[in-house]
Amino acid sequence: MIVDIRKWKHVFKLDPDRDISDEALDRLCLSGTDAILVGGSSGVTFDNTVDLLSRIRQYEVPVVLEISNQEAIVPGFDLFLIPVVLNADDPKWIVGQHHEALKEYGALLNWDEIVAEGYIILNKEATAAQLTSARTDLDAKDVAAYARMADKLFHMSIVYLEYSGTFGDMELVRRTRQVLENARLLYGGGIDSLEKAQLAAEAADTIVVGNIIYSDLEQALQTVHANFNRNGR
Ligand SMILES: CC(C)=CCC/C(C)=C/CC/C(C)=C/CC/C(C)=C/CC/C(C)=C/CC/C(C)=C/CC/C(C)=C/COP(=O)(O)OP(=O)(O)O
Ligand SMILES: O=P(O)(O)OC[C@@H](O)CO
Ligand SMILES: [Mg+2]
């Protein structure tokens, strides 16, 4: 399946390390979301990723793996997203893990199925921030510089503003989006209602909805109805 990330407005992120019922998965996959992203920052294994992939594959919705560790690289997804944590203090999460993975898989890859994401992690409490020792105390100028680095210097197709677990600063998201010329701005973090989905949809190109799926499915499903008309890209 050809997946065009430039058309994504809304995606659900499902964590292989968390339980989800068949009924909930059915409703998510048929919700009208643009893709199901499979990923998490801890407890993701080959087995729990294969299991989730095979369940989502019963539906037509595109299914994409966001790779978080080398042991959980599973073939068969429509696309592979590779996080590069631009504000990580430890280079392991900028190039180190990637170097190791490419030593193993480099000659086998179909590069048309692989997209790098310039991650900027802004919630210091998030598991991903702690794992990567991210420098989260950034002002708008710092974030804009990372965004330009991803977009113009490294030609990454995605800049991901990651507030996982908390709703972020939408003015900062809006300003970050304004500096991007080619990269798409994904926003994720704390979207737990249609109202917050709407605010995020007005600031970013694509919104990512994660944790609320596991605590309030009805609210999660509402987020698909956010209106993106303002963006026009
Ligand atoms: C042959 C074959 C199968 C080919 C395909 C394989 C392929 C595409 C290989 C590419 C090679 C390559 C370059 C791989 C990258 C390897 C790798 C491990 C990179 C490191 C990625 C990284 C920086 C991880 C750090 C953590 C992170 C940023 C994860 C992103 C996801 C995320 C933030 C989820 C949120 O997690 P959650 O658990 O919800 O967190 P909360 O607790 O805060 O809610
Ligand atoms: O889980 P939440 O807070 O919705 O964040 C979504 C996503 O950005 C996590 O990587
Ligand atoms: Mg999560």
Side-chain angles (χ1 to χ4, degrees):
M1 181 188 296
I2 294 167
V3 180
D4 185 359
I5 60 165
R6 303 202 65 82
K7 297 215 168 98
W8 286 358
K9 303 289 190 191
H10 177 285
V11 305
F12 281 123
K13 188 181 283 194
L14 289 182
D15 188 337
D17 191 34
R18 297 175 84 168
D19 291 331
I20 186 129
S21 68
D22 287 342
E23 190 201 334
L25 196 63
D26 187 73
R27 296 183 67 194
L28 291 162
C29 292
L30 299 175
S31 64
T33 190
D34 295 303
I36 303 287
L37 226 160
V38 171
S41 49
S42 61
V44 179
T45 65
F46 188 87
D47 288 350
N48 60 25
T49 303
V50 169
D51 182 60
L52 189 53
L53 171 64
S54 64
R55 292 173 68 203
I56 300 168
R57 267 288 175 238
Q58 296 170 41
Y59 301 89
E60 286 182 6
V61 67
V63 55
V64 173
L65 179 63
E66 185 173 57
I67 296 178
S68 58
N69 73 74
Q70 201 176 326
E71 289 68 47
I73 296 180
V74 171
F77 283 83
D78 295 315
L79 198 70
F80 297 88
L81 300 186
I82 314 294
V84 172
V85 182
L86 298 170
N87 61 327
D89 232 3
D90 182 345
K92 177 176 174 185
W93 306 105
I94 308 171
V95 291
Q97 293 266 34
H98 315 70
H99 183 235
E100 287 306 317
L102 289 174
K103 281 203 280 186
E104 177 122 9
Y105 295 104
L108 305 171
L109 299 179
N110 174 1
W111 288 98
D112 294 339
E113 295 177 349
I114 297 171
V115 174
E117 305 174 286
Y119 251 78
I120 307 166
I121 303 180
L122 292 169
N123 173 17
K124 70 175 190 317
E125 311 293 343
T127 314
Q130 290 170 10
L131 178 74
T132 63
S133 309
R135 287 190 292 115
T136 55
D137 187 18
L138 304 179
D139 63 21
K141 254 180 123 174
D142 292 316
V143 174
Y146 279 128
R148 286 199 169 97
M149 189 185 295
D151 184 28
K152 303 301 285 179
L153 199 56
F154 296 150
H155 301 287
M156 290 168 162
S157 309
I158 291 176
V159 170
Y160 194 136
L161 282 189
E162 174 64 286
Y163 279 92
S164 180
T166 192
F167 194 63
D169 174 350
M170 288 304 117
E171 186 51 32
L172 178 67
V173 177
R174 193 172 293 108
R175 285 170 66 178
T176 306
R177 183 179 171 275
Q178 281 166 0
V179 308
L180 298 180
E181 281 186 28
N182 298 307
R184 202 162 175 84
L185 184 65
L186 269 62
Y187 167 81
I191 298 175
D192 57 8
S193 64
L194 177 55
E195 290 69 30
K196 287 199 189 126
Q198 188 59 50
L199 292 172
E202 285 164 14
D205 295 316
T206 305
I207 63 171
V208 184
V209 176
N211 289 337
I212 191 66
I213 293 166
Y214 300 93
S215 54
D216 189 337
L217 181 67
E218 300 306 327
Q219 287 295 322
L221 290 165
Q222 283 299 311
T223 64
V224 175
H225 302 298
N227 184 341
F228 285 81
N229 284 345
R230 191 199 61 84
N231 276 343
R233 73 171 201 171

